[in-house]
Amino acid sequence: EIWGGDRTMRTTDFVMRRTLLLGIAALAAAKSASHSSKGASASPDSTSDDKCCWCDPDTPPSAMTAIGSDSQVYQLVFSDEFNDPNRDFANGKDKKWTALDVGDTSNHGAAFFRPEQAVVMNDHNFSKISALRIRTENKSHTGISPEGEPIHMPYSSAMLQSWNKFCFTGGILEFRARLPR
């Protein structure tokens, strides 16, 4: 684990027991002269005012705009602070993300993606810091491949996607990630 655990992990241990933590403060921003969400699809409950319908209410005001490398001002159109430990990323449970429940057969993958491998948790050392934890471990699972066939994978992990919920076609993508040591 990143918080605690074995700090002297060898490369083979990393493959077998890795944890990836993500904090997405400003996931996407789009060019904004008129505060429109150009480059992003709006949700059915979006409004036409300047409010960001896909933004986490806990995103700080300082993150609502960014200056791009093109010197243009970009307006935030999506953010997720990952600060609610009760979130469930299983199919249909979360407004922004879906954790897949499928074997990874792309690029000779060896992990079966399971929703329970993705959780929001607090840092043991800093109680006010939370993040999405994606855990990969040496825990085999038999399930269904993307092609609908039974498949056995030696590792369990997670993959989250926003497909069919939020579509991003241009702008700035920012995220913070902490990888295992």
Side-chain angles (χ1 to χ4, degrees):
E1 292 186 328
I2 288 179
W3 298 321
D6 183 5
R7 299 274 183 201
T8 59
M9 292 187 353
R10 296 180 306 273
T11 304
T12 54
D13 293 331
F14 174 75
V15 172
M16 293 167 36
R17 298 182 314 149
R18 68 179 171 192
T19 303
L20 172 65
L21 292 158
L22 293 175
I24 300 177
L27 183 87
K31 266 190 192 178
S32 143
S34 63
H35 297 281
S36 69
S37 60
K38 177 184 173 191
S41 66
S43 71
D45 58 343
S46 65
T47 60
S48 61
D49 61 12
D50 290 342
K51 194 169 186 164
C52 176
C53 64
W54 281 101
C55 294
D56 189 315
D58 293 329
T59 298
S62 61
M64 294 300 175
T65 58
I67 305 296
S69 61
D70 58 1
S71 300
Q72 297 296 314
V73 176
Y74 287 74
Q75 181 71 31
L76 187 72
V77 295
F78 182 105
S79 68
D80 198 331
E81 300 298 322
F82 294 109
N83 57 0
D84 179 0
N86 297 314
R87 285 177 76 177
D88 183 351
F89 298 106
N91 191 18
K93 304 282 186 172
D94 193 80
K95 172 178 152 178
K96 295 180 178 180
W97 304 101
T98 299
L100 301 182
D101 193 0
V102 68
D104 176 15
T105 57
S106 63
N107 301 313
H108 303 288
F112 201 95
F113 297 132
R114 306 285 300 151
E116 60 269 15
Q117 297 295 110
V119 297
V120 173
M121 62 181 294
N122 287 332
D123 186 323
H124 301 302
N125 298 318
F126 305 97
S127 62
K128 293 185 180 185
I129 297 177
S130 64
L132 169 65
R133 180 185 78 177
I134 296 175
R135 182 177 204 132
T136 298
E137 58 188 340
N138 187 3
K139 182 178 173 185
S140 64
H141 183 80
T142 301
I144 303 298
S145 74
E147 295 80 27
E149 301 292 323
I151 190 168
H152 177 80
M153 298 297 223
Y155 300 99
S156 293
S157 189
M159 178 167 68
L160 276 71
Q161 65 180 17
S162 65
W163 184 73
N164 214 16
K165 293 182 180 190
F166 179 82
C167 298
F168 174 68
T169 58
I172 299 171
L173 177 67
E174 294 179 353
F175 68 94
R176 291 185 308 259
R178 190 164 67 176
L179 299 172
R181 296 176 188 176

